[in-house]
Amino acid sequence: MKWYIFFSSFLVLMACKSDTEETEPLPGTDDDYKIVIEPSKEQPGVGESDAYPLGQPLKLPEGIRLVQRRHHKFDPDISKLYAHTNFFYVDVNLVNDRMPGTPPITVEFPAGLIVVSMDHDKQNGISIERFLVPVPPTERIGGGRDTTTIYIGMACINEKRSMPWYDNEGEEQRYPISRNNFQDFLVTNDKNLLQFIDIVKEHPKLRITQHWDPVEAHEPDYVTPDWMKIHSRIQGLIWQITDGYGIRQGEIAALKQELLAYK
């Protein structure tokens, strides 16, 4: 099954390119073809670079720490998913070390959050929206802190790498989840990615409210649902920054018009 999922990831890349092509501006003024968001493909950690991405480490509130849950299965409860993009999900496991009975601590995951793959064959990811996650200080019967596990939806920033979920097994093949591959969380300082994020953030109706199935998506008769098209468009434009030649003014104008429906 692994070879099938790997091939599926290649098809996803091709599908994204098709959606991106729909944003090509119609013949008009020269301004439509002016690059207004420059490419970042020469920066570390994006595009074809295997280097560590630039950015500041994610700051966590006092009393909160990240842990690994290697044997914790993916929970498809959609309330646990924080996502405005969904080409893969990363698991985030949080422990609140404050005393039981104290109020939850709110953890902020800023727009521009980058996750760094431990496997250089797989894509790094970026989130385009700010999320606030309450983490309660609960305690299991018998002692030991509970862990709050959530999932954050990511766009990919290395077009030629494989999807982080391609080697999933069992039921997790049916979800774009990548567990146990991302330990480092940064906040990007890439000015081109931040310029794009400023355009797409604060559109609450982009929030993902259902899962997609990577296996089903590559059946011969599969039709991309309407709700997925805007996310494919955003992914394609991000790849134009990380792997291509930037984004043109006409493409930005078309995207802004489309995003009006997601305010």
Side-chain angles (χ1 to χ4, degrees), residues 195-215:
Q195 184 181 352
F196 181 77
I197 287 171
D198 279 342
I199 294 169
V200 296
K201 71 181 182 180
E202 298 178 1
H203 288 82
K205 292 181 181 178
L206 282 177
R207 182 150 189 173
I208 304 299
T209 59
Q210 56 188 303
H211 300 295
W212 67 283
D213 181 337
V215 176

Side-chain angles (χ1 to χ4, degrees), residues 39-44 46 49 241-242:
S40 295
K41 59 184 177 181
E42 302 302 325
Q43 296 298 315
V46 303
S49 169
I241 297 172
T242 61

Side-chain angles (χ1 to χ4, degrees), residues 154-171:
M154 293 283 159
C156 302
I157 58 174
N158 312 90
E159 185 176 12
K160 293 184 180 179
R161 295 191 199 178
S162 60
M163 288 293 176
W165 39 257
Y166 82 84
D167 56 355
N168 283 355
E169 297 180 350
E171 280 301 307

